């Protein structure tokens, strides 16, 4: 197995805005939206997505058997338009990337390069259910989880396939075809307008429905509604909530949460080919709740969050990575407040069990009725690490607290 290509190319510290390099003729199309630097910080701008095709990095350029080519691909250090969120996509959403994906980025503010950072490669468990119109659109791609890196204007990336076979003669598992690095600029920051919490009288009027928590609307976090598909998709009811972590890292300030969400939204729609952001709700580490997929926070909106179990459920993503990092108590409390209200609208006990029919996945065959906790982790419906070991361990607390908010 060849080692990584380590570049020592020096980069001069960039000015406030780095001039973009001309894209190679064979590069994937780059989607850019103009920005007005003088615009008010409270105005939402569309942002942009840069798509860079990954190239062979192995010194001898020897191709690995299979359609993907060399076992190492990436981009060497280069100047790019400013971005804050990064991910890697490939052509076939049903192909998994068996290997390691790493990026390093240059801070716009300091001109310094970060250390290498890993991207979560197992993202196939997210998305629309098999057989649905969203999944069969022809636009859906495979992808890593996106990573929030802050305001950057330089990037380097490398993807290395993992080895398989005998130790004496290992061979690389082919990388997926059409690997591209996606650099997302979420646009300028908006002021997060929050719908106020409901008065306690609402809970008394509807038994076992917790009071509505404050929710930042899509307009509040600056969603560009021209990105998503028109219209909405609904299921019959909300019987369960699946809790996720966004796996975007924990290096964000709560004031940046709207920007992180706009980045995820653009990544889901423009880079992955989904009709809208996949999650129904998102929660930041300060406990603020945000509206996700469009269609109405009270409605049973069909999301793309838990492959095989999107029908009659909702997906709640806590911004961050909680494999080894403890979630904040504010975030866990927000999960409880949100589920107490939303599940209560459909008469569901957060501490109870329910049955959902599988749409197909790696744990349960299509059509099987599966008994699940009403508040489940993503890993309960699909073999995955999501929502991370530390957040998953807090779901019992969230169930108990949500039931208490419902007056049970």
């Amino acid at each position: 197995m060849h080692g990584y290509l380590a570049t020592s190319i020096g980069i001069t510290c960039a000015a406030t805005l780095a001039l973009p390099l001309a894209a190679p003729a064979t590069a994937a199309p780059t989607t850019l939206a103009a920005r007005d630097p003088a615009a008010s910080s409270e105005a939402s701008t569309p942002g942009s997505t840069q798509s860079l095709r990954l190239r062979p990095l192995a010194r001898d350029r020897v191709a690995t058997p299979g359609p993907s080519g060399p076992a190492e691909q990436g981009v060497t250090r280069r100047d790019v338009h400013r971005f804050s969120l990064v991910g890697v996509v490939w052509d076939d959403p049903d192909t998994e990337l068996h290997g390691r994906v790493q990026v390093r980025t240059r801070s716009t503010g300091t001109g310094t390069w970060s250390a290498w950072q890993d991207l979560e490669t197992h993202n196939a468990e997210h998305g629309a259910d098999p057989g649905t119109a969203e999944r069969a659109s022809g636009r859906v791609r495979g992808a890593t989880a996106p990573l929030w890196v802050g305001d950057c204007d330089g990037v380097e990336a490398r993807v290395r396939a993992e080895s398989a076979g005998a130790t004496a003669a290992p061979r690389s598992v082919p990388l997926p075809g059409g690997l591209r690095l996606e650099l997302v600029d979420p646009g300028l920051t908006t002021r997060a307008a929050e719908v106020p919490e409901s008065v306690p009288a609402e809970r008394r009027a509807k038994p076992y429905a917790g009071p509505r928590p404050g929710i930042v609307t899509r307009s509040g976090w600056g969603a560009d509604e021209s990105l998503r598909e028109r219209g909405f998709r609904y299921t019959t009811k909300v019987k369960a909530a699946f809790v996720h972590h966004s796996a975007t890292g924990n290096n964000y300030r709560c004031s940046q949460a709207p920007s992180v969400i706009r980045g995820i939204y653009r990544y889901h729609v423009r880079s992955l080919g989904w009709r809208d952001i996949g999650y129904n709700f998102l929660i930041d580490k300060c406990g603020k709740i945000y509206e996700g997929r469009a269609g109405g926070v009270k409605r049973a909106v069909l999301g793309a969050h838990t492959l095989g179990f999107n029908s009659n459920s909702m997906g709640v993503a806590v911004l961050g990575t909680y494999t080894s990092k403890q979630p904040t108590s504010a975030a866990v409390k927000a999960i409880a407040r949100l589920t107490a209200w939303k599940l209560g609208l459909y008469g569901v006990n957060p501490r109870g069990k329910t049955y959902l029919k599988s749409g197909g996945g790696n744990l349960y065959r299509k059509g099987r009725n599966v008994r699940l906790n009403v508040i489940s982790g993503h890993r309960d419906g699909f073999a995955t690490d999501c929502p991370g070991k530390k957040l998953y361990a807090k779901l019992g607390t969230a169930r108990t607290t949500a039931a208490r908010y419902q007056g049970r």
Side-chain angles (χ1 to χ4, degrees), residues 170-206:
R171 60 182 298 274
S172 296
V173 177
L175 291 172
L179 287 168
R180 297 184 297 283
L181 181 68
E182 301 286 289
L183 306 175
V184 179
D185 171 14
L188 297 180
T189 303
T190 62
R191 174 178 292 174
E194 186 173 346
V195 176
E197 295 192 18
S198 59
V199 295
E202 181 178 330
R203 188 174 80 177
R204 292 195 298 268
K206 188 176 182 64

Side-chain angles (χ1 to χ4, degrees), residues 53 162 182 363:
R53 189 176 298 280
E162 66 184 25
E182 301 286 289
L363 276 182

Side-chain angles (χ1 to χ4, degrees), residues 285-287 326-335 394 397:
K285 58 189 174 185
C286 289
Q326 287 283 358
T328 64
S329 58
V332 176
K333 182 178 179 181
I335 295 172
K394 296 293 184 180
T397 299

